[in-house]
Amino acid sequence: MEHRIVGPGPYRATKLWNETVELFRARMPLRKHRCRFKTYEHCFAAAEAVDWLHELLRNSQNFGPEVTRKQTVQLLKKFLKNHVIEDIKGKWGQEDFEDNRHLYRFPPSSPLKPYPKKPLYQRDVIKFPEWNDPPPGTSQENIPVRPIVMNSEMWFKRHSIAIGEVPACRLVHRRQLTEANVEEIWRSTTLSHLQKILGLDSLEEVLNVKLVNSKYIIHNVYSVSKQGVVILDDKSKELPHWVLSAMKCLANWPNCSDWKQPMYLGFEKDVFKTIADYYGHLKEPLLTFHLFDAFVSVLGLLQKEKMAIEAFQICCLLLPPENRRKLQLLMRMMARICLNKEMPPLCDGFGTRTLMVQTFSRCILCSKDEVDLDELLAARLVTFLMDNYQEILKVPLALQTSIEERVAHLRRVQIKYPGADMDITLSAPSFCRQISPEEFEYQRAYGSQEPLTALLEEVIADAKLSNKEKKKKLKQFQKSYPEVYQERFPTPESEALLFPEKPKPKPQLFMWALRKPFQPFQRTRSFRM
């Protein structure tokens, strides 16, 4: 008896309804029952259905353990009205289901609810001013184009910074951001963050982005007290003073002894009833009708608590400031009452936490059109809000910083130096053209070799270089580009032709070399006797 987790996305309430109907019809135990001397096969008693479905909803991660038996009975009433079940006589269409021994059965077919088709809303995109935007009323077609002449003076201007000489510069301002520009930045960035967290391709099926008021977002971020509660400019939209006083009394119980109010038995119950009556008669829930699908979609992230808190933070920024303020004060009171162990019981039949959820869930989240699971979804959301209201109703700092930095960047001036693309008008940019695979392979193989071949020929033909210098340069070229060098000089003989050897002069023959070598004087024998 497991409930599949339905993640965030459009039509989540309808998906949950169909999932619950399928599980109930497939797994609800059926057996033989006897009523008024008649036997009925394959049916179940109302109390049996309440027991089984209540256990299913409590164990489901889509709804949670906060689901009460009363809410289960309300859901079965809707099952009867929508012909998911019928009584043993085949009657259906009325919400007269009660927690008793009355017998019910499944009809032969129970069509699931189709997904509603909502119109896709297209939002108008406001173009932000760029650096080089021309003033309004001018046309780029009539601007004369002066060709670029890159002389030595222009080159020096462009590269003077690299050699340490910084010329005079001037500041170029964007066209001033209008209030509409800033509001659109807040609106578009906030919605973009929400879409990214929910993991959706578009928010169009979750909320009507045209109804998102950027002024509400900015007010909810900056117009807050030290406690983080929204401060309203229009005091007529404030909570009535008697409601605010009653909420302070219960939130600070038993520290209301300073009040000059009569205390009697059951005083706290009357105060609580006063608050509940005021919130119960609101014309619209605090989370508004048009944000119902957005908040229900975020409920699919409760398994990832950090992401769910961040998504709820952004959704609560979209609320009107008066709704956000009322929600902040209400959630703070509810959380404090639940944590206050000295608070007397406010209801004999429910615990304090369950009472808070059941009393205020409908005034916090509710659909304008009838949604069959809105009560269970509202209870699930209010429970999570009570446990994390301090984080959820806080301004997301990362989002605020991101938007402020973007606005500051758009307002920042740009520094331009003389000659750095300011004194000339650039020609039209060139565009790429498609080439054949054969041409690509040829360019890849020979495109870079042609300039190198030309450079090698220039070295070879340079008559100003001595043979020693030329050999040195050719040796360096051979080491750096062996393929180009090998193509030019495929054999050692071709390389030798570049430097022909000079004939060596024959040694001169001297006359004395033809004579006999000098003989040392040999002493002869004297003829003297």
Side-chain angles (χ1 to χ4, degrees):
M1 192 169 62
E2 298 180 356
H3 221 131
R4 181 177 60 89
I5 299 177
V6 179
Y11 319 120
R12 186 172 184 270
T14 304
K15 293 177 182 178
L16 287 172
W17 168 270
N18 291 340
E19 179 78 10
T20 306
V21 169
E22 288 179 344
L23 286 175
F24 183 60
R25 286 178 56 86
R27 301 184 182 182
M28 174 64 199
L30 304 177
R31 61 185 182 89
K32 184 189 301 184
H33 287 80
R34 188 174 179 83
C35 178
R36 296 181 180 179
F37 306 105
K38 287 186 178 182
T39 302
Y40 299 93
E41 300 283 348
H42 306 292
C43 58
F44 53 86
E48 295 173 352
V50 175
D51 293 337
W52 191 91
L53 186 58
H54 186 212
E55 188 68 17
L56 173 70
L57 297 175
R58 284 174 54 85
N59 294 327
S60 171
Q61 297 184 10
N62 294 314
F63 301 104
E66 301 292 335
V67 178
T68 63
R69 191 175 181 88
K70 181 180 178 181
Q71 289 176 330
T72 306
V73 173
Q74 293 295 326
L75 180 57
L76 285 168
K77 287 184 177 181
K78 295 179 179 180
F79 280 0
L80 180 61
K81 181 179 180 180
N82 290 276
H83 205 194
V84 177
I85 60 176
E86 63 183 15
D87 68 2
I88 54 174
K89 296 181 180 180
K91 295 180 179 179
W92 62 277
Q94 300 293 329
E95 294 189 6
D96 54 358
F97 184 95
E98 296 181 3
D99 191 357
N100 53 24
R101 301 301 302 173
H102 194 73
L103 298 181
Y104 292 89
R105 66 189 180 190
F106 292 120
S109 62
S110 179
L112 301 178
K113 286 185 176 293
Y115 297 131
K117 293 183 179 180
K118 296 183 178 180
L120 296 179
Y121 304 98
Q122 296 181 354
R123 55 181 180 176
D124 299 329
V125 180
I126 298 180
K127 182 180 182 296
F128 302 115
E130 299 296 338
W131 289 108
N132 298 320
D133 278 355
T138 61
S139 175
Q140 293 287 346
E141 298 178 356
N142 300 326
I143 298 178
V145 179
R146 181 158 57 94
I148 302 176
V149 179
M150 184 60 69
N151 51 25
S152 59
E153 182 181 359
M154 181 67 69
W155 185 92
F156 175 77
K157 287 182 179 181
R158 291 193 175 189
H159 301 278
S160 57
I161 298 178
I163 61 177
E165 299 181 9
V166 181
C169 62
R170 60 172 174 169
L171 301 180
V172 180
H173 296 265
R174 289 179 186 264
R175 287 192 291 123
Q176 185 178 3
L177 285 179
T178 63
E179 183 179 354
N181 294 145
V182 178
E183 291 177 357
E184 176 61 19
I185 292 174
W186 274 94
R187 177 175 171 273
S188 60
T189 307
T190 302
L191 294 178
S192 176
H193 275 62
L194 178 60
Q195 178 179 335
K196 182 178 179 181
I197 296 173
L198 295 179
L200 302 177
D201 296 332
S202 173
L203 293 177
E204 300 294 342
E205 295 180 340
V206 175
L207 76 157
N208 185 354
V209 295
K210 287 189 175 182
L211 297 180
V212 176
N213 194 326
S214 55
K215 296 182 184 295
Y216 292 167
I217 302 175
I218 298 174
H219 187 99
N220 291 332
V221 170
Y222 293 109
S223 299
V224 294
S225 64
K226 294 181 179 180
Q227 293 76 23
V229 180
V230 175
I231 300 175
L232 300 181
D233 297 332
D234 188 358
K235 301 303 179 182
S236 64
K237 297 181 179 179
E238 285 275 9
L239 282 170
H241 71 279
W242 48 272
V243 176
L244 189 58
S245 299
M247 295 176 68
K248 288 182 179 179
C249 177
L250 293 184
N252 300 319
W253 190 276
N255 297 326
C256 58
S257 57
D258 299 337
W259 292 26
K260 298 180 181 179
Q261 298 289 342
M263 299 290 293
Y264 53 87
L265 185 63
F267 172 76
E268 67 282 351
K269 294 182 181 179
D270 291 342
V271 174
F272 181 76
K273 186 177 183 300
T274 300
I275 302 171
D277 289 343
Y278 172 78
Y279 277 94
H281 288 84
L282 293 176
K283 296 181 179 179
E284 187 179 28
L286 296 179
L287 301 184
T288 69
F289 287 134
H290 86 274
L291 291 177
F292 173 82
D293 290 331
F295 279 100
V296 170
S297 182
V298 177
L299 286 176
L301 292 174
L302 293 189
Q303 305 305 317
K304 304 174 182 179
E305 183 174 328
K306 186 176 180 181
M307 293 180 62
I309 290 176
E310 188 176 358
F312 277 129
Q313 282 181 337
I314 297 177
C315 287
C316 290
L317 282 182
L318 308 181
L319 297 174
E322 57 271 17
N323 288 39
R324 182 178 171 90
R325 175 177 173 81
K326 292 177 182 178
L327 180 65
Q328 288 175 321
L329 297 177
L330 178 61
M331 297 308 304
R332 184 170 63 177
M333 181 202 73
M334 293 169 60
R336 289 186 179 182
I337 290 176
C338 293
L339 296 176
N340 191 353
K341 298 181 180 180
E342 298 182 3
M343 172 66 68
L346 298 175
C347 182
D348 298 333
F350 297 100
T352 303
R353 182 181 176 87
T354 304
L355 178 64
M356 294 294 114
V357 174
Q358 298 301 317
T359 303
F360 297 108
S361 60
R362 293 284 295 177
C363 70
I364 293 177
L365 181 68
C366 181
S367 175
K368 187 174 183 179
D369 302 322
E370 182 181 358
V371 177
D372 297 310
L373 295 177
D374 56 354
E375 295 179 359
L376 297 177
L377 296 174
R380 181 68 163 155
L381 182 140
V382 172
T383 302
F384 189 79
L385 281 178
M386 288 176 57
D387 296 335
N388 304 277
Y389 80 98
Q390 291 182 333
E391 288 292 325
I392 292 176
L393 296 176
K394 189 167 61 174
V395 176
L397 184 60
L399 175 63
Q400 180 182 355
T401 304
S402 173
I403 297 176
E404 289 176 347
E405 289 179 352
R406 183 180 180 187
V407 173
H409 171 73
L410 293 175
R411 287 174 172 168
R412 192 174 296 131
V413 298
Q414 187 181 30
I415 301 177
K416 290 290 186 180
Y417 296 95
D421 300 329
M422 286 298 298
D423 300 329
I424 56 177
T425 303
L426 298 179
S427 59
S430 60
F431 298 94
C432 300
R433 66 179 181 87
Q434 188 175 5
I435 61 176
S436 63
E438 294 77 11
E439 188 177 357
F440 170 76
E441 292 297 334
Y442 176 81
Q443 291 183 2
R444 185 177 67 173
Y446 302 102
S448 60
Q449 292 186 0
E450 292 178 359
L452 294 175
T453 304
L455 177 62
L456 179 59
E457 294 296 336
E458 184 179 350
V459 174
I460 294 173
D462 193 351
K464 296 181 181 180
L465 294 176
S466 64
N467 287 343
K468 184 177 180 180
E469 293 176 347
K470 186 176 294 186
K471 288 181 180 180
K472 184 178 179 180
K473 289 183 178 294
L474 290 176
K475 189 175 182 180
Q476 293 176 349
F477 191 95
Q478 182 183 15
K479 186 177 180 180
S480 301
Y481 310 103
E483 296 179 356
V484 179
Y485 192 87
Q486 180 67 25
E487 185 179 357
R488 178 62 175 81
F489 301 106
T491 61
E493 291 77 8
S494 61
E495 185 179 5
L497 293 176
L498 184 62
F499 303 101
E501 294 184 359
K502 295 181 180 180
K504 295 182 179 180
K506 295 182 178 181
Q508 296 180 359
L509 297 177
F510 297 98
M511 294 303 294
W512 58 267
L514 297 176
R515 300 174 182 177
K516 292 183 178 180
F518 178 78
Q519 298 293 331
F521 179 77
Q522 295 182 359
R523 188 173 182 180
T524 61
R525 188 174 181 178
S526 176
F527 291 99
R528 289 182 179 183
M529 296 300 295

